[in-house]
Amino acid sequence: LVTETELKGALSDFVIVNATRGYATITTDDYRSHLVAFDPTTGARLDSVYAADSGFSLWDVAVNDRGEVWVCDRSAKKPGLVVFDGPTGTRLTKGLIDTGLPPFALVFLR
């Protein structure tokens, strides 16, 4: 679908929203974590949607049945969840959803 070279970082996790939009959590060579959008049909990186304060802090990413993309941000200073509209990449939460301890995994039950 996509390579780490195309994503420009070490892959942690990914989800596919539709035929032309997927998201991956990566860490770049300068140790910054990013949520990046990519096209699963072509494998092309589209854009960086969100950046965390430090490396290896964006871990799990999941998409729900409404097409929302939820991301675990395990940043030491302010951990929590951040939510985006999957088809457009628009951020839906103003700040992080506080989870107390840094979130590690997401599962949506249907």
Side-chain angles (χ1 to χ4, degrees):
L1 293 176
V2 66
T3 66
E4 287 184 331
T5 301
E6 187 68 36
L7 292 174
K8 300 177 183 163
L11 177 66
S12 298
D13 196 14
F14 73 95
V15 294
I16 305 298
V17 174
N18 57 39
T20 59
R21 195 120 172 133
Y23 293 89
T25 53
I26 63 164
T27 297
T28 57
D29 290 343
D30 62 352
Y31 300 107
R32 297 262 336 233
S33 285
H34 296 265
L35 176 70
V36 296
F38 67 93
D39 185 327
T41 304
T42 65
R45 177 178 158 159
L46 302 174
D47 53 4
S48 181
V49 178
Y50 177 75
D53 293 339
S54 59
F56 303 103
S57 57
L58 296 184
W59 201 252
D60 198 23
V61 60
V63 62
N64 64 20
D65 59 356
R66 293 184 303 251
E68 297 169 340
V69 175
W70 290 61
V71 183
C72 292
D73 186 337
R74 298 178 50 80
S75 298
K77 293 180 183 177
K78 190 172 180 185
L81 299 170
V82 62
V83 184
F84 299 87
D85 177 67
T88 65
T90 302
R91 186 171 174 167
L92 299 176
T93 52
K94 291 186 188 258
L96 290 171
I97 298 170
D98 186 6
T99 56
L101 295 173
F104 180 76
L106 293 166
V107 175
F108 291 106
L109 301 175
R110 298 174 202 224

